[in-house]
Amino acid sequence: MHLVRGGNARLMSLPAKLLRSTTLYGRSFATEHPDGNTCSSVKGTRGFLGSAGPSRKNTRCCCRTHAAAVNLGLLRFDFCLGRFVMTEPKPAVFDGARTEDLAVWLQDNGVNVFSYGVGTAKTVAELFDEVQNGESVLHLSPDGVPVRTVRVLSLLIRNSRGEVLVEEQQVRPNGSVRSRGLPLSEKLVATESWRPAVERAIKEELGSILPSNPKITVDDSSYRQTVESSVSVSYPQLRCQYQCHRVEVKVEGLPNAGKFVTVENCKDGVLQLHWAWRANWQAP
């Protein structure tokens, strides 16, 4: 038996006597029969390939080698060329150039994008912008499932009473409300390290009520790194892995009690962030 690795990374095997080449891996699969002849006999519901052509739905090769390869996703029949051609393997990491490319990539890999942009769910365009800005990476897991990997900075900002500042909810520019219940969280960009991102995160999320150069004190001894996995709330059906960098911080200039609202300019308008101090908040 010879090992065959398909474009979808599944390991399969085929009888060696049926294969012209000893190993098949992606584009290296040969489209010739064991005797060296190019396969031109294709059976379908309308007979052998000829002037009428085969049925696109039920096309199959008369050769068991090609039939098995088609089943593995290694080959497909090109009706323009009139022969079998290699199936392009699915990219492990999404690297498309358009929002439309992302929608197709997600849909082809089992994520229903028609629920995106409905209710509190974000749009495919927002996810594409996130990827383009280096705030997340989309890739396929070993079992072929799309995964969104995000590096997140989580700041436990404490007041004089030791309470933690928690973002209760967001009101998006379109008026939809998104519940949060988390301390200040900001996505790290590309290879950005967590330490220099602290000031950026505070200014972006809380800058509307802070002086231009607020005093920020970071307790480096409190730093913890965790990895958490869940299905995204913002992007339905999309599995997410969060690489979380959590640290305790003190920020001068914030209201020391009660609830307050900050605003952040975004692509679609103004985002309202609703904050509250909580005495018993615990990290998950």
Side-chain angles (χ1 to χ4, degrees):
M1 305 289 283
H2 286 287
L3 192 64
V4 178
R5 193 184 297 260
N8 56 6
R10 290 179 300 173
L11 296 180
M12 305 290 289
S13 59
L14 292 174
K17 64 182 180 179
L18 293 181
L19 305 181
R20 177 174 175 79
S21 56
T22 58
T23 302
L24 308 183
Y25 185 74
R27 299 183 179 85
S28 65
F29 182 75
T31 59
E32 290 80 17
H33 282 244
D35 60 4
N37 296 321
T38 300
C39 180
S40 59
S41 263
V42 181
K43 290 182 179 179
T45 57
R46 298 172 65 182
F48 287 97
L49 181 63
S51 57
S55 162
R56 290 174 182 258
K57 182 177 180 181
N58 298 313
T59 298
R60 60 185 177 83
C61 179
C62 63
C63 166
R64 286 189 294 161
T65 302
H66 286 170
V70 169
N71 289 336
L72 293 178
L74 294 170
L75 290 179
R76 65 179 176 83
F77 189 81
D78 190 305
F79 284 83
C80 294
L81 299 176
R83 61 181 173 82
F84 283 93
V85 296
M86 290 305 307
T87 299
E88 290 293 326
K90 295 180 179 179
V93 177
F94 171 75
D95 60 355
R98 304 176 305 162
T99 299
E100 293 79 4
D101 296 334
L102 176 55
V104 171
W105 187 84
L106 290 170
Q107 199 73 28
D108 285 350
N109 288 291
V111 177
N112 181 8
V113 299
F114 293 101
S115 59
Y116 283 34
V118 178
T120 60
K122 293 185 177 180
T123 64
V124 176
E126 288 176 294
L127 180 57
F128 180 76
D129 288 343
E130 181 182 285
V131 173
Q132 290 295 101
N133 294 334
E135 296 177 329
S136 69
V137 175
L138 294 173
H139 60 94
L140 295 180
S141 66
D143 55 349
V145 176
V147 178
R148 169 179 170 252
T149 297
V150 187
R151 297 168 57 240
V152 179
L153 175 64
S154 178
L155 301 181
L156 301 184
I157 301 175
R158 296 189 182 275
N159 60 13
S160 59
R161 296 182 300 279
E163 296 170 328
V164 174
L165 183 64
V166 173
E167 182 184 6
E168 292 189 320
Q169 64 180 24
Q170 295 178 350
V171 180
R172 304 182 68 192
N174 63 5
S176 63
V177 178
R178 181 187 178 205
S179 297
R180 295 281 286 165
L182 297 171
L184 192 155
S185 301
E186 183 70 17
K187 291 186 285 290
L188 299 177
V189 180
T191 58
E192 181 183 27
S193 62
W194 72 267
R195 192 63 172 76
V198 170
E199 183 175 350
R200 176 179 69 82
I202 291 173
K203 287 185 175 181
E204 286 184 10
E205 303 277 316
L206 302 171
S208 63
I209 62 169
L210 287 174
S212 57
N213 292 301
K215 183 178 179 180
I216 301 170
T217 305
V218 180
D219 181 5
D220 291 289
S221 65
S222 67
Y223 172 77
R224 298 290 184 274
Q225 181 176 354
T226 61
V227 177
E228 305 164 8
S229 297
S230 66
V231 176
S232 175
V233 175
S234 300
Y235 303 109
Q237 299 183 14
L238 184 59
R239 185 189 299 177
C240 293
Q241 182 183 78
Y242 301 97
Q243 300 173 1
C244 185
H245 303 263
R246 180 171 287 127
V247 68
E248 295 197 9
V249 180
K250 289 186 177 180
V251 181
E252 294 188 8
L254 289 174
N256 198 45
K259 299 183 178 183
F260 59 93
V261 178
T262 61
V263 295
E264 180 181 350
N265 293 321
C266 60
K267 183 178 180 181
D268 299 325
V270 177
L271 179 69
Q272 294 182 20
L273 312 176
H274 292 248
W275 305 90
W277 296 101
R278 290 191 184 175
N280 300 316
W281 190 88
Q282 295 292 327

